[in-house]
Amino acid sequence: MPPLPFLGELPYSTSLTPTSENRGLPQRKAPHYHSPSRSNHAKPLNNSTDRVRQIRPLTVNEALQYSSLSSIVPSDSGKLKTPMRLCIHAYFIEGIIPVPSASVPNQQSVFSNPSELHQARTILDQLDGSFAQGLGLPEAAKHAILSLQSSTCEFKFKKLQGLATNLKKFTPPTAANSCSETSIRLGRMANSILLNTDVAFRYPTPSSPEPMDSTAHVPPKALPIKLPVTPQTPNHRPRNETAYPFNTSAPATSDRILGSQRTTLQLKVVVPPLPQSSDTNDYKVFHVESPAKDSKQGVSKKRKREEVNGKSASAPSKDQRALSDAALTAFLELASDIFEAENDAQSQINSDDLTARKTYFVQHEVDGNVSLTINSETNIKLDSCLHKVISLARFKDVPISQLCKIQDLCEGALNSADLLDVRIDPGWGSDDISDWVERAKSVDAALRSARTVLRIMVGGRDEKQIYSEELLQKILSLLYKVMDTCVSPVIESRTSGTESSVFAIASVQKKVILQLLHNATKIMQLLLELLTKVDLAEVTITSIEFFVIRLLFVENAHVEKESVLGIHKSESIRRTAMNLTAQLFLRYPEQRRFILDEVLVSLQKLPINRQQARQYKLEDGTNIQLVSALLMRLVHSCASRSVPQLAKRRKITLDENAAAAGPRSDGREDENSGSEESANSSAAENNNIEVHKVDNWKHEVSSTTRLAKNVRLLYDAAGSNAQYIVEFFVLRASTASRTGDQPHRHLLDMFVGDLVSVLNLPDWPASELLLRALFARMERITSSDKSTAPMKNMALEVLGSAGSAILDVTSNARQLAKSLENDDSELSATLVQSFEDHLANQLEDGALLSWTGSYRAVLEYLGRSSSDPQTIGAQGYCLTQWTKLVLWGNNSTSTNIQTSPAQSELANKLFKVGSSGKWSSGDDFESVSGIQCRLAYNLTILNMGFGRAFNQIFQILLRAVRSDQTTVRSRGLKSVTQMLEKDPTLLDRMPHVIRLIINSASDQSPMVRDSSLTLIGKCIVLQPALEAQVLETVLAFTNDAAASIRKHSMKLLKDMYLRFKTQKTRAEISENLLNRVDDLDEGVADLARQMFEDIWLMPFWNLSSVQSSSVERELALKDQVALMIQIIQRGERTSQVLEPLLVHALGSKSKNADANTIACKAMVATAFQGIIDTAELPDRPEQGSILETLTVFSRACPKLFTQLQLEHLQPYIANLSTADDLNIFRSVVVILRCVMPTLPAMQKDFLKQVQEDLLRNITKLAKAELDEVVACLWTINGALGNIEKLVNMEINVLNKLYSSRLVDFADAKQNSELSKLKRLILLAGHFAKHCNFEPQSEKFSSKLSWWAGSSVAQCVIDIISPYAAKLQPVSLRSVAMDNIGMICQAWPKNFNRPEITLMFQQVLKGDEPELQRIVLSSFRDFFTVQDHQIEVKASSGERDPLAHGKLGGSMTASDNDGAAALIAQGFLKDILRIALSSQGSYALTATEVVASITRQGLVHPKECGPALVALETSTNLKIAEIAFQQHRNLHQQHESMFEREYMRAVQEAYSYQRDVAKDLKGFTTQPFRSKLHLMYEVVKTSKSKYQSKFFANFCAKIDFDVSKLDVSANPPTHLQYARFLVENIAFFDYGRVEHVLQATSYMEKIVASTGAGIAQAINTEVFHVRLEPGLDTSNSAVEQASSTAEAPLEEVDQVRLRQVTTASMILSMLWEARTFLRRLYGVSASQQRRENKAKASKDLSKPPTKTNGITGDKFVDSINRTMSALDTRDLALAQCREFADLLAIDNEVKVPTEDGEHDGGRLKTPSVEDDGESLMPLSAGSKATKRKGSVSISGTPNKKKRGRPPLGGRRKSTKSVDEDDDSY
């Protein structure tokens, strides 16, 4: 495995260590320095054998650059006069005289521009000219030579005894050869100075070579190398390194190198053995450890070690050396060509000849100066060659001067690109785009140059001059320009919106932009590599930080078509930015808090759409936010590795002053650099940002205490940053909502979701730490009493997600363990056993923390990837966490180290791993698979702090279910639901959970009840055995006050019905569902009808001839029929509901009418089988029950029956002797009456037999059965045509009635005759109703000699009418009146007969309720028929089902309209009076008539509207329901008109409650609810303006004029009315927050306006409060301070006292209602002020949430106490005093000015935090005006805002409403 990231010093930290110029011998190193490319923990290997390594001393050339000789320029050269000073510099700088220097000179030229260079060259030419003329050296030159010779020192080198060499002896330079070799380059004067300057040195000449050992190493054949030529250019000063291209055993002189342009050298490197005479003190010994071997192969069989497979295991091969030499040669040749071309081009820079520069350079003009820069093609070649040289470890052999020169050439491109703009303008044309393309190409070339510069910087060289801060800043500036002005806008552009033009342009130029993006990404990658190797200056670090953090939050598209560059390519730049940010966070601890703050503050830029935000794809395919991944990586960095001491870290920084003067103009290092580093180190230590000074483990003794110290620092740093991140998210989210403008709530949700997603992935161990910190924070929120409900809801939601995450980890571990059960691996067996122990709560920590435990398995697997920084960080974090748990366990607060022997041993092993970065070489551990790693990691998660907190999380959620806050209880239930969905076994392990859920079902809050119902449904799905336990609770929900809960419970009952098989349970469910068919809410009713069809009919849709014989289908059908029979037997209401339900399912409007008909026919057939044999049906139902069920089907759809089925029923009407027979008889007759008209043909014998049976039994029948029989007989008559029987029977009955007209039935002796007469009247009336005898009128005339009319119906009415006279007994009158009404229903024109109208009027105006009921029933039945006909006409042409195929019609409707209008106009007032006079059956009938009249639109809505509202308050639920339905219909049709009648309706309701209900309270109890709640439910459907007007008018009805207030009654009438209104408005169920605010605002307005005068009257007239004498009451006097004095209480007029007391009582009750509403709905003053300032706020439309625990009891008590104020004089005075104190002391009540304006134009709502801000204008057009001379009601000036001293010398203690405890 690759080396572990260790807890000691950074592996890539670069010390200030110069690199030797040992060219040609790369294997030889300077004795006291190490290569920066080697890791600190790497150990040298030498062919697997241990020996002492021999190090060769430095040569002169190697050591010369480190000598104290820093410059050949005299130190006092500053005294030279210009231009002589320029001359001297030109000779020694431009003359290329190499001198040893301890510091490599800077490559920048001393000449700032070409003109300065030209001036110096002119002076040199003059000096050369004078020297050539024999004038000799100038005085200045002589002085310089003397200074140089006096300032140099002599070098003495010790001879290495025994060192053999085969190189030629060194020949000192002479005048001849020096001149010949230097004449080409040097001028005459420069050459003379060189010859006259003597730098002495001595180097002993070695003796003759000793014979070489046969075993000596034979070097490979030297390769010919083309030597570089250092050009003389104005922009470059050659370094002394270029004089020595290769190192040899003897030094090579500079003039020799300069004399040959390109020389091929044959080098042979001989490494002789160490002679016996050598001094060992001259050498340093390095011990090289060899890897441990086993008995066979020397390595573990179970794991491949890096010593075997790594490249470092063996020395480079000959091929590798040849390859590296070739790469170096290629680079040097390319560099030489570039320099030659640049030298030639400089001389032609102002000419038009481009031959010298067209190959390698591009010419740029910057600020008027022409410069050359390397073109793109050359940059590509350079970058490629540099990359090869660096990768082959030959970069140290490149002369530093060449690297500096290359950077100089690249810098020009950066300078030129700085002036170019690559921004894309949406309004560009084609020419503009073409210009932009050219600019973009130039910028792209500059980016390539920047890559070349950075490639040199990351090569690992130690020379400081290649790390230019100025160059880095230019690169960052260019990078920022490209990304911020070009690439980022393109990435964020979309096909629509303001960026669509940019998108279009960029799509065309996609290739150019992609190239810019590619190069920018490469530069960022190089910057990342630079950060790993070199410490940068703070200004550079800050620039990088701002740049990369900005890139992190560039919004990428979420679909490919919306992205110009492609989602993947656009995302790559963000990933690179993330890597850079993580590296900055790792390397610079002092910057950590700044980086965190910048990232967290920028979070609000993220999209809140989950699909757009989560674009960081993990290995397993999971997508998370990139910022979430970054935050976890930052936490990894805190614990994965330490920060080296700042004193040992290299900082590539320069003094700001030196940098400003030219950082590369001087070759000397800043003398104060060391002190600056010390100062920086000290400043960092004293910085308030924590810098973790972790000791370097590599140099410490293995100590448990030291280990504990370092681990504690690392782990605490990770924990501290995790808490900081969590705290930021929580604080921002706690003040934001999901629907608000701030995205922080969504960001927290997504962040938690990301942590949960990666919790079980070993690559992201920081997720557990963050979740643990999140849990601790949420726990504090839920347990704090100061936390608001939204904060607790947020915490509970997060805890629900966290607990579900733990359950997911457990479930995932269970699956992984199952997959490893059959694995033979020892590790798999151990992991599976550990998981089983965990489930049994028997797992010990030692099993996980052992050397071969789960943590080891995770680290082994993570070690597979040594290049991924994310994996390396996770590996280091896991190692730190493992060590921490070994030392302290899961107790994070403990300071005591666990020091058992086993733990100490394990800790020492971990110490060694952390210090060396790798496992012990002899330690064997089998290879770990991905499944094994994930199971091991899941085990560690479940046994850490977060995993062990599951029970605690679940208990917090359960406690929340019992909270006092409604929303908290609801949120707790939802979170518990989330947990149960993950693990249903929680219900088995915690049985009290289901009981808690059931108890929540009775909560006062609909929100909590709905959540409880949802949770019950989840529990049933998870544990079906709980259905029986929760059934009663769910059934109760069908009657809930909230329609949404009723719907929810119905859906749940449907699912339970399909799962239950017992008939009893199904019957209970079905009955509850049927009861909702006529629900007041249409949505509920529609849902009930749909569910009936789904559970009763849909299972039998596919019945066919084949399937009908199926046994299972037969049994199911029989069960369904038996169920219907059982339900119908439960009561008459069920039959009444089921019939219209079947009509709806089988009607033409039903989508599944045909399928439903097939199912119903099968049910009817099955029921007939039960009639024949009751054993065919389950539970053997009685025949009467079966027939009663069939009557429902026959009324709903007669076509379901067949003729054969009817024939089976005939025997049941033949005998009628018992009551049971009567029930069967009635059912059969109903079936026959309904079905026979629909059959096409019937057997006449059957019809005759039925007719005979019915006629034989007709005298035995009561009214209900008689009605059905007569209708059936008339139907049969149409088929048989024997109407004579019916005519004769009717004539016979009429004759008997006529003969009895003179009998006095009031006589008790006529009781027997009276009964017979009643029977005759019934027969006559029913035959006249159902039979059309009009065509037989002549026969009637012939048989009835006493009748001479033309209408048989009129004849029957004329015969019966005398028996309805007042002289007749009431019982007889009732029968007569009833039958007259039935005849009028069938023949409506009789309603218009004057005698009939008069008779009905007398009855309705009389005081005989029974007769009134009969008349009203007649009207009701008549209108019912009319309504039915209207519905039929409104349908798609379908006629009345009873009229289909009739053998004869039974009635006509020609006079219906006239009769309906007559009833509505002639009887409506009487009908309304009857309806509003009682609450019994008579009132119910009257209400039904009123509803029919209004439904048909026979009168104006104003005439019935107020009465309907009053009837809605009836305690008779049926009356209230009918009135509500019709009121709602009227409101929907006539909203604008009807709303004006509401105040009259409220008055009508008050009178109804006062006179009929005898209850003046405005509410009902259990629970508290307004009596006008149904009216308000209708009002809530109005438009917003109508609702606002309703509240204004409603509150205005409470207001009064005190001077006109009538107080004569006891209690006063208006006081009672006001109480009724106040209590109603207090208990309205408000639908929106806006409604609550409007209601309370209007209340406050009345109290402020009317109350001011009342309080003033109380003070002056009752208590005689007066101002102190001498106080001015003018406008200015109001501002003065004054005191009040209270006169002795005098006798007050009792009428006036009663009047003002009544007024104060009304206003006090209104204020109590306002206070109660604010408490009930949690409306604060600040919220109300905020809402009124922003009416369009989304929160206004939300439904208000009731505060749990406030039921209204205390409010009612307060109202009752106020109503008793008139009982005694003392109570009246106390009431007046309390009201005066309310307005005087309560800072929330402001008094309006004298001209009616309020102070500040608005009224303040109750809140202690309000400071004079206002809420609601008193009137629409009021303006804020200055108060004029008004004083407060207490007599104190407004300036002090104080209350009047209380009466009696004692201040009354009052508190603002918001400060009180929950008083309601």
Side-chain angles (χ1 to χ4, degrees), residues 34 492 728 742 986 995 1054 1072 1081 1350 1664 1752 1852:
H34 60 272
E492 293 181 335
F728 179 90
Q742 296 296 325
L986 290 173
R995 293 194 298 270
K1054 173 188 173 182
N1072 278 271
D1081 189 279
S1350 60
H1664 304 288
K1852 185 177 180 67

Side-chain angles (χ1 to χ4, degrees), residues 196-250:
N196 288 280
T197 303
D198 183 19
V199 179
F201 65 90
R202 289 187 299 167
Y203 193 91
T205 304
S207 58
S208 59
E210 297 179 5
M212 296 180 58
D213 193 348
S214 59
T215 61
H217 174 68
V218 180
K221 184 177 180 180
L223 297 176
I225 299 178
K226 185 181 294 184
L227 296 179
V229 176
T230 305
Q232 295 178 342
T233 64
N235 294 330
H236 176 65
R237 183 185 66 205
R239 275 69 172 177
N240 58 347
E241 290 87 353
T242 59
Y244 311 101
F246 293 96
N247 290 319
T248 62
S249 58

Side-chain angles (χ1 to χ4, degrees), residues 1043-1054:
S1044 60
I1045 297 179
R1046 295 199 296 273
K1047 291 180 182 180
H1048 194 173
S1049 63
M1050 290 164 62
K1051 295 177 182 178
L1052 187 56
L1053 284 174
K1054 173 188 173 182

Side-chain angles (χ1 to χ4, degrees), residues 1243-1308:
Q1243 293 184 6
K1244 293 188 177 182
D1245 294 340
F1246 169 71
L1247 294 177
K1248 289 180 180 179
Q1249 186 63 42
V1250 172
Q1251 188 181 50
E1252 292 176 359
D1253 293 338
L1254 295 178
L1255 291 174
R1256 183 172 61 252
N1257 296 316
I1258 197 171
T1259 57
K1260 304 177 183 178
L1261 303 177
K1263 177 186 177 181
E1265 289 78 12
L1266 182 61
D1267 188 73
E1268 298 291 344
V1269 168
V1270 174
C1272 186
L1273 287 172
W1274 180 248
T1275 302
I1276 295 174
N1277 172 74
L1280 296 178
N1282 55 356
I1283 194 175
E1284 292 80 8
K1285 289 186 178 182
L1286 303 181
V1287 170
N1288 293 334
M1289 177 174 287
E1290 182 69 4
I1291 291 174
N1292 188 22
V1293 170
L1294 292 178
N1295 282 325
K1296 290 182 180 180
L1297 289 175
Y1298 183 77
S1299 61
S1300 302
R1301 69 186 187 282
L1302 300 177
V1303 179
D1304 182 12
F1305 291 101
D1307 188 358

Side-chain angles (χ1 to χ4, degrees), residues 1696-1710:
R1696 183 58 174 169
L1697 176 61
R1698 185 176 179 84
Q1699 195 175 47
V1700 296
T1701 302
T1702 302
S1704 68
M1705 292 167 64
I1706 295 172
L1707 296 178
S1708 295
M1709 290 189 296
L1710 188 61

Side-chain angles (χ1 to χ4, degrees), residues 1346-1372:
W1346 43 267
W1347 178 65
S1350 60
S1351 173
V1352 178
Q1354 292 181 2
C1355 174
V1356 177
I1357 291 175
D1358 293 340
I1359 291 296
I1360 297 176
S1361 294
Y1363 300 108
K1366 291 184 178 181
L1367 299 177
Q1368 300 295 342
V1370 176
S1371 61
L1372 181 58

Side-chain angles (χ1 to χ4, degrees), residues 409-429:
L409 294 175
C410 292
E411 185 177 3
L414 300 178
N415 294 333
S416 62
D418 187 55
L419 303 176
L420 302 177
D421 186 9
V422 288
R423 190 186 311 272
I424 299 178
D425 193 325
W428 276 353

